[in-house]
Amino acid sequence: AQTVTQSQPEMSVQEAETVTLSCTYDTSESDYYLFWYKQPPSRQMILVIRQEAYKQQNATENRFSVNFQKAAKSFSLKISDSQLGDAAMYFCAYTQTSGTYKYIFGTGTRLKVLA
Amino acid sequence: DADVTQTPRNRITKTGKRIMLECSQTKGHDRMYWYRQDPGLGLRLIYYSFDVKDINKGEISDGYSVSRQAQAKFSLSLESAIPNQTALYFCATSDSTKQGIMHFGAGTRLSVL
């Protein structure tokens, strides 16, 4: 069975600094998608970034980028130039590209941004 | 207007009561899901539906039932609510042709006393 693990329940970063959130996963599939979702205090789940497993190039979205290591089954999120609005719960998620399309979520990392 | 709408946004109920959480979407997606979020446990799948005639249990379906009334509507029922069903509930949708992206409603905060 597929699993997603986020080992950092909480992290802090100084405003304007860089922080990296960790995520590891386990699957026997070769083709799948990985995601980072952000949940601010409003509790709305917002897609931050998506990575397709068959692409070697790491995805980037403005200040957000990932380090995707397929062999190591690692998918970390780097937030550069952290802003107060980045404070939120961040969830790593996995779904395979065929079959049941069930999404598996990690337990989340709460990010605090210090002014 | 939100693409995925959940009602109610917050609800307090008593043990043993029947309660329904509703979800509607205007995205035209074929796939709909109900998740439950608990602190330290992330999001866990309750039920999912890939079209109107397709209903599937997720990892924590006991004590819940669902109905897919139309492609755009997917409701979650708690037949007899119990306190450990106190949680944040999310409805979500995805399109089988849109590369895996899931779209969430704003969530329903349910408290069972």
Side-chain angles (χ1 to χ4, degrees):
Chain A
Q2 295 95 348
T3 59
V4 175
T5 301
Q6 293 179 251
S7 59
Q8 306 153 315
E10 189 171 294
M11 293 195 69
S12 297
V13 62
Q14 206 70 34
E15 196 175 7
E17 297 294 310
T18 295
V19 65
T20 299
L21 309 184
S22 300
C23 174
T24 58
Y25 60 95
D26 190 25
T27 183
S28 57
E29 300 290 325
S30 60
D31 200 12
Y32 47 87
Y33 299 117
L34 295 164
F35 309 86
W36 279 97
Y37 282 89
K38 170 185 178 181
Q39 186 182 43
S42 68
R43 77 192 195 204
Q44 180 70 53
M45 295 285 284
I46 302 165
L47 177 65
V48 175
I49 202 163
R50 178 177 67 93
Q51 176 77 43
E52 295 163 272
Y54 70 87
K55 290 187 177 179
Q56 291 186 330
Q57 186 174 6
N58 289 324
T60 62
E61 288 288 343
N62 300 313
R63 298 182 295 108
F64 298 87
S65 62
V66 298
N67 184 5
F68 173 49
Q69 301 290 328
K70 191 173 184 179
K73 295 180 181 174
S74 172
F75 183 61
S76 60
L77 175 70
K78 185 172 81 171
I79 305 174
S80 304
D81 185 25
S82 297
Q83 300 175 359
L84 295 177
D86 295 333
M89 182 73 85
Y90 286 82
F91 291 99
C92 180
Y94 160 100
T95 188
Q96 60 194 58
T97 58
S98 62
T100 62
Y101 280 91
K102 286 192 290 185
Y103 293 74
I104 312 296
F105 288 85
T107 53
T109 296
R110 183 170 299 283
L111 178 66
K112 296 183 177 180
V113 180
L114 309 174
Chain B
D1 288 342
D3 295 320
V4 183
T5 302
Q6 289 184 237
T7 55
R9 184 155 171 81
N10 299 285
R11 179 74 182 266
I12 300 173
T13 191
K14 294 183 178 180
T15 297
K17 294 291 188 181
R18 182 180 189 276
I19 184 168
M20 179 181 289
L21 308 183
E22 299 192 16
C23 177
S24 62
Q25 52 122 342
T26 58
K27 299 192 73 67
H29 289 170
D30 49 353
R31 300 173 179 205
M32 298 188 74
Y33 310 79
W34 277 103
Y35 281 90
R36 167 178 172 160
Q37 182 182 354
D38 297 276
L41 297 179
L43 279 76
R44 294 180 292 165
L45 183 62
I46 306 173
Y47 271 96
Y48 62 103
S49 169
F50 285 172
D51 65 42
V52 174
K53 297 181 180 179
D54 176 75
I55 301 289
N56 303 281
K57 292 183 177 180
E59 58 183 305
I60 55 164
S61 60
D62 287 349
Y64 302 94
S65 63
V66 292
S67 174
R68 184 86 183 261
Q69 301 96 323
Q71 188 191 31
K73 294 180 182 277
F74 192 39
S75 60
L76 175 72
S77 294
L78 288 67
E79 295 301 326
S80 180
I82 56 177
N84 77 0
Q85 291 178 313
T86 292
L88 180 58
Y89 290 85
F90 282 103
C91 175
T93 72
S94 69
D95 187 326
S96 56
T97 64
K98 292 289 177 65
Q99 300 179 335
I101 297 173
M102 181 172 278
H103 301 263
F104 288 85
T108 295
R109 173 80 64 191
L110 176 65
S111 296
V112 183
L113 304 178

